[in-house]
Amino acid sequence: MIIVLRPDATKTQLHHLVGKIKKLGLKPWISKGVERTIVGVIGEEDVIRSQPLEVFPGVEKVLSIL
């Protein structure tokens, strides 16, 4: 799963999101670009599907990767 953050997402919002991902027992991979930050999530997708990560502050969209 890939989580795309908004261009104006703050470090606090990113840390909150990463903390939630870790609490779910999943592994986040952060990639910071010039304009965007994305978070790749490794682990059981069933766990993350039960969480509405799209509503977290700073999140633009969540993409499922098969």
Side-chain angles (χ1 to χ4, degrees):
M1 183 163 289
I2 304 256
I3 301 168
V4 180
L5 299 183
R6 296 168 35 115
D8 61 347
T10 65
K11 288 182 182 180
T12 302
Q13 291 170 334
L14 174 61
H15 288 232
H16 179 70
L17 177 64
V18 167
K20 180 63 172 180
I21 291 167
K22 287 180 179 179
K23 283 184 184 179
L24 292 170
L26 304 169
K27 187 170 187 175
W29 289 95
I30 300 168
S31 180
K32 293 185 180 186
V34 174
E35 294 186 24
R36 301 253 188 218
T37 298
I38 62 169
V39 181
V41 181
I42 309 274
E44 285 292 322
E45 287 213 16
D46 289 340
V47 173
I48 200 141
R49 283 188 198 139
S50 67
Q51 300 296 314
L53 297 176
E54 295 90 351
V55 300
F56 275 65
V59 173
E60 183 172 294
K61 61 184 165 183
V62 178
L63 306 167
S64 182
I65 305 297
L66 300 176

